[in-house]
Amino acid sequence: MRRYCNQYQIVFFGLALLSSSCATILNQPIQKVAIATDKNIKAVSIIKSLSVDSSLIRIDAPRFYYMVRSPKPLEVELQLDSTQKTVFLKARNSFAYWANIYCNYGIGMLVDRDNTKRYAYPGNNYFTLKDTTIKRYAFAPVRKGTINLSLSLPLPSFFSLQSETGNYNSVGALGLQAGVDYFYKRDQYLSLNFGAAIDAFDEYFGPGYREFGTVLFTNIMNNNVVGRFDFGYGINLSKLQWRRTTIADTINLDQSIKSTALGFSLSTQYRFGNYFRLGFLYQPDLLRLGNSPALKYQHYISINCTWKIPLKNAIVK
């Protein structure tokens, strides 16, 4: 009887390990790989690809190859004007494989160790020819004339506003930012944004009153695309308000301090795919308009989930 109990325990433990392995569960055995090239590279093929989807109309649109996951590198054949070159894309451990560290303290790595589903190839690939060297980038450069709609949700926001007793510091979870990006050069663009945020859910409650802050702003920035990163710098005009309101039947404690201020805007965004980015915005406001003293430090900081939606794609000529 004890022998059967031990067998059941072994089976149960094995099933528990299998169910806790992230790559085995989350990854499919087939991976889609996108390949795009500059106009000086005419043809592309991947050895041992299962199928190819190139149904998109645009000439410079990527082709999607479906590959079996493997620890072996992909052999990508590029046809140039007079020669043919082969580029190798190395396999790497997938995000799901490393997620075992967080999800099950690394136990799932034991199950995923010999499973080819642990591997992943670079999902987005853009090849261009510089002199005689093939260069690979994660994404194709954005062309001059492209216009994007930008929508951001700040999660969270950090406020430092002037109050009656000094600086009022808080964290908020409600806000919205919208804007437009215009690429005036390849991988360089101007952005115009409008945003609003409130520190709801993190107001300060005192005896008979509550304090909260709000920010309305517009900014214009120059941005540079470097790999997966967008770096922006510019100026902002903000309307900042600290407010205290009475919440009990007591002495009226209502008071507010408003200011319109000029300052800088600094941003960094990391690109995960064609549309989604995770970003950081820092706006120190230094010069108050119509208030005394004129020089007063206040700031608005946010960590943003941002979506870039194409409104106009520049046509390749």
Side-chain angles (χ1 to χ4, degrees), residues 60-80:
D60 64 331
R63 292 184 177 184
F64 296 99
Y65 296 81
Y66 295 88
M67 306 298 305
V68 177
R69 295 179 188 267
S70 169
K72 297 180 180 179
L74 287 185
E75 296 183 39
V76 182
E77 294 184 349
L78 305 177
Q79 183 64 49
L80 309 181

Side-chain angles (χ1 to χ4, degrees), residues 52-259:
V52 182
D53 180 6
S54 58
S55 59
L56 296 178
I57 297 175
R58 285 172 45 210
I59 297 175
D60 64 331
R63 292 184 177 184
F64 296 99
Y65 296 81
Y66 295 88
M67 306 298 305
V68 177
R69 295 179 188 267
S70 169
K72 297 180 180 179
L74 287 185
E75 296 183 39
V76 182
E77 294 184 349
L78 305 177
Q79 183 64 49
L80 309 181
D81 291 336
S82 58
T83 60
Q84 181 174 309
K85 290 194 176 183
T86 300
V87 178
F88 294 90
L89 297 180
K90 293 183 179 180
R92 61 191 178 189
N93 290 318
S94 66
F95 175 82
Y97 176 77
W98 293 113
N100 285 304
I101 298 175
Y102 175 80
C103 296
N104 49 61
Y105 304 100
I107 296 176
M109 288 181 170
L110 298 175
V111 179
D112 292 335
R113 182 182 59 181
D114 297 323
N115 194 330
T116 57
K117 291 166 69 174
R118 68 179 279 185
Y119 297 105
Y121 298 109
N124 295 286
N125 304 274
Y126 174 79
F127 295 99
T128 185
L129 181 65
K130 291 187 176 180
D131 296 329
T132 59
T133 304
I134 297 291
K135 296 288 186 179
R136 177 199 165 270
Y137 301 94
F139 298 98
V142 182
R143 302 181 185 279
K144 179 180 177 181
T146 298
I147 299 176
N148 291 330
L149 173 65
S150 177
L151 297 175
S152 299
L153 293 176
L155 300 171
S157 301
F158 302 89
F159 300 79
S160 181
L161 310 175
Q162 183 187 6
S163 69
E164 182 186 22
T165 57
N167 274 16
Y168 168 76
N169 299 300
S170 66
V171 180
L174 286 180
L176 179 65
Q177 181 178 321
V180 176
D181 304 333
Y182 172 72
F183 282 79
Y184 65 93
K185 286 185 179 180
R186 191 166 176 164
D187 281 344
Q188 294 185 5
Y189 64 95
L190 293 175
S191 62
L192 176 64
N193 299 284
F194 302 89
I198 184 172
D199 64 342
F201 310 120
D202 194 54
E203 311 101 312
Y204 176 77
F205 287 87
Y209 68 92
R210 61 185 282 261
E211 293 180 325
F212 62 93
T214 59
V215 174
L216 294 172
F217 68 87
T218 180
N219 64 42
I220 183 169
M221 289 187 288
N222 184 62
N223 302 267
N224 292 273
V225 180
V226 181
R228 287 180 176 264
F229 287 92
D230 291 16
F231 299 99
Y233 57 92
I235 59 174
N236 81 85
L237 176 66
S238 299
K239 185 175 182 180
L240 312 162
Q241 181 179 15
W242 165 83
R243 188 174 179 182
R244 182 174 65 198
T245 60
T246 304
I247 58 175
D249 187 13
T250 182
I251 301 174
N252 187 352
L253 300 174
D254 291 357
Q255 190 172 359
S256 68
I257 295 179
K258 302 179 182 179
S259 62

Side-chain angles (χ1 to χ4, degrees), residues 243-315:
R243 188 174 179 182
R244 182 174 65 198
T245 60
T246 304
I247 58 175
D249 187 13
T250 182
I251 301 174
N252 187 352
L253 300 174
D254 291 357
Q255 190 172 359
S256 68
I257 295 179
K258 302 179 182 179
S259 62
T260 301
L262 283 172
F264 300 105
S265 291
L266 303 171
S267 74
T268 301
Q269 297 178 354
Y270 182 81
R271 181 175 178 177
F272 284 94
N274 290 327
Y275 306 106
F276 180 72
R277 290 166 169 79
L278 183 65
F280 174 82
L281 175 66
Y282 172 47
Q283 294 193 152
D285 292 302
L286 307 174
L287 179 62
R288 299 193 301 169
L289 306 178
N291 293 78
S292 181
L295 296 178
K296 174 66 179 179
Y297 176 82
Q298 301 175 88
H299 72 234
Y300 171 71
I301 300 173
S302 65
I303 299 173
N304 301 311
C305 295
T306 302
W307 290 265
K308 301 282 190 178
I309 304 170
L311 297 178
K312 175 188 175 184
N313 285 318
I315 299 175

